[in-house]
Amino acid sequence: MMRTRPLKVALLGCGVVGSEVARIMTTHADDLAARIGAPVELAGIAVRRPDKVRDGVPAELVTTDATALVKRGDIDVVVEVIGGIEPARGLITTAFEHGASVVSANKALVAADGAALHAAAQQHDADLYYEAAVAGAIPLVRPLRESLAGDKVNRVLGIVNGTTNFILDKMDGSGAGYSEALDEATALGYAEADPTADVEGFDAAAKAAILAGIAFHTRVRLDDVHREGITEVTAADIASAQRMGCTVKLLAICERAADGASVTARVHPAMIPLSHPLASVREAYNAVFIESDAAGQLMFYGPGAGGSPTASAVLGDLVAVCRNKLAGATGPGESAYTRLPVSPMGEVVTRYHISLDVADKPGVLAQVATVFAEHGVSIDTVRQQGKDGEASLVVVTHRAADAALSSTVGALRELDTVRGVASIMRVEGE
């Protein structure tokens, strides 16, 4: 039997995502009620600019006093889609204190302060759900937190930022440089006017922190994630990858150490073989590859951003949280029992592609090979091209620690025959 008294929902933020959440809650009200077991009522919408025209949003629900809205006492669920650290953190904490559960799309806040938010939710017997914080419509948080709860996840490897994937895909397909591809992404609305969060890897790093924490049952903060963006990726890097049968992607990589004693989390551009499933992820799409003991290899693919896809994830969480409210229960909270340390980037072992500008004369290759050998980095392949006294030397290593590679590159720069290090890129997915 369906309960007749509605569950009341407060919406914080009514931009691209928030307005779509409000629209779906209104137009699909009957379906949501049937799935939940009770009607859901949009009780208020907190915004910064009340005079802005918002199609389909009832004007009488709009308020600029977000604090008063979450303090009302009759709100069952607060949906937070305003982003940023403050005032979002204070509003979420206040919501818990006044008996509401929270659904959030705020990756930056969850990555930076997830442990404290989970603790506050537990203290007040409330839920904190954030599927939309990681990859738009792609279900990742719930499969990791619930479907794979009985399994041991060893690796999460993914493309979790659509803007950077669009830029790199255009560079790969057309031979365009970074600036040209970024201009196209901006013109099409895939990149913000200030694309720093995307192209410098901040967005992907926040998502990596969340995914690593859930996958490995340990606390991983944003500061624990090694981060590199795509601004230094050149058309020459893309061409080198193509010659190797690879493509370049900005990857979020979360790994459990082979001995199980630590984890790593990192975001950086990498070459991956065209045979890898992630290589075929085009344009602004996202995909995440998960490796676990029992389930083996799983891949999740779909639109990772945008109003409708993100709203889909928010509404999925809203249904789950409302069901919990009716049952007088809460869903899974933070699971950090393993307390594994996060290893620094220097200890990460992977393959490398290094492009050197060198003098075109006898003995250069021998000098370079000697430096690699002295630092314990084994060479897999070498390719050399040159004319008119100048040459390029491309070295692909076997797997080596990041610290060993860094010391190798430092020594290479001291050679008189090495004019400069044109690029260094990791090779993943093999």
Side-chain angles (χ1 to χ4, degrees):
M1 180 181 293
M2 182 179 295
R3 192 181 83 164
T4 56
R5 183 173 67 81
L7 292 159
K8 295 190 176 183
V9 178
L11 178 60
L12 307 183
C14 199
V16 173
V17 176
S19 59
E20 190 65 10
V21 170
R23 184 192 69 79
I24 295 173
M25 286 188 64
T26 302
T27 57
H28 295 180
D30 291 342
D31 286 336
L32 291 172
R35 294 166 191 172
I36 291 168
V40 286
E41 174 188 321
L42 192 54
I45 305 172
V47 300
R48 292 196 187 103
R49 294 179 290 167
D51 298 331
K52 181 180 177 181
V53 176
R54 297 174 175 86
D55 293 337
V57 176
E60 65 273 14
L61 296 182
V62 174
T63 178
T64 57
D65 195 341
T67 302
L69 179 60
V70 299
K71 282 185 173 180
R72 276 179 34 172
D74 64 338
I75 300 297
D76 295 289
V77 184
V78 170
V79 174
E80 182 271 310
V81 289
I82 57 178
I85 304 300
E86 293 293 355
R89 176 166 48 196
L91 291 169
I92 289 174
T93 302
T94 300
F96 291 145
E97 293 169 351
H98 287 77
S101 288
V102 173
V103 172
S104 176
N106 196 331
K107 54 187 168 286
L109 179 57
V110 175
D113 212 19
L117 293 177
H118 274 295
Q122 183 178 18
Q123 179 184 353
H124 297 285
D125 295 320
D127 274 323
L128 173 63
Y129 276 45
Y130 42 85
E131 183 69 68
V134 176
I138 305 173
L140 283 173
V141 173
R142 196 170 291 124
L144 280 171
R145 194 158 67 170
E146 299 178 29
S147 303
L148 295 174
D151 205 344
K152 180 184 177 184
V153 176
N154 296 309
R155 195 173 196 232
V156 180
L157 174 75
I159 299 164
V160 294
N161 183 272
T163 300
T164 53
N165 199 57
F166 180 89
I167 292 170
L168 293 172
D169 185 47
K170 290 303 173 184
M171 292 175 69
D172 182 81
S174 68
Y178 167 77
S179 296
E180 297 169 84
L182 174 59
D183 288 344
E184 184 176 353
T186 303
L188 292 172
Y190 291 121
E192 301 287 345
D194 180 1
T196 302
D198 294 321
V199 300
E200 294 292 357
F202 290 100
D203 175 86
K207 296 170 181 177
I210 295 170
L211 290 173
I214 298 170
F216 307 134
H217 302 277
T218 195
R219 287 180 179 170
V220 180
R221 291 171 52 86
L222 180 57
D223 292 344
D224 295 322
V225 182
H226 173 82
R227 175 192 55 79
E228 299 171 30
I230 66 166
T231 56
E232 301 300 319
V233 177
T234 66
D237 293 327
I238 301 293
S240 290
Q242 292 172 341
R243 285 192 289 269
M244 289 177 58
C246 293
T247 188
V248 177
K249 299 292 185 182
L250 182 72
L251 298 179
I253 306 170
C254 312
E255 293 179 306
R256 188 192 300 269
D259 61 4
S262 64
V263 299
T264 59
R266 50 196 164 103
V267 167
H268 54 70
M271 297 179 179
I272 58 172
L274 295 177
S275 58
H276 194 281
L278 290 178
S280 62
V281 179
R282 307 294 302 276
E283 305 239 326
Y285 278 81
N286 286 190
V288 175
F289 201 71
I290 296 174
E291 300 175 11
S292 68
D293 277 2
Q297 297 179 332
L298 306 170
M299 183 165 159
F300 299 80
Y301 169 85
S308 294
T310 306
S312 172
V314 169
L315 268 295
D317 278 352
L318 179 63
V319 169
V321 169
C322 286
R323 287 172 175 169
N324 292 343
K325 280 280 185 181
L326 291 180
T330 56
E334 183 189 34
S335 176
Y337 72 92
T338 62
R339 296 182 175 85
L340 295 174
V342 182
S343 296
M345 187 63 189
E347 297 179 11
V348 171
V349 176
T350 189
R351 296 180 68 204
Y352 290 86
H353 174 282
I354 305 103
S355 180
L356 304 172
D357 295 328
V358 299
D360 187 15
K361 61 182 185 180
V364 173
L365 179 56
Q367 286 184 328
V368 169
T370 298
V371 169
F372 275 89
E374 289 175 344
H375 289 81
V377 178
S378 176
I379 293 175
D380 182 17
T381 62
V382 177
R383 185 177 70 252
Q384 185 172 7
Q385 295 177 323
K387 74 176 192 179
D388 299 329
E390 297 296 329
S392 64
L393 190 66
V394 175
V395 178
V396 179
T397 74
H398 288 290
R399 290 174 64 83
D402 186 83
L405 194 282
S406 295
S407 63
T408 302
V409 171
L412 288 171
R413 295 183 191 275
E414 298 298 319
L415 293 178
D416 292 338
T417 51
V418 174
R419 310 299 193 208
V421 180
S423 70
I424 304 171
M425 191 169 293
R426 296 170 183 87
V427 182
E428 299 283 350
E430 295 185 328

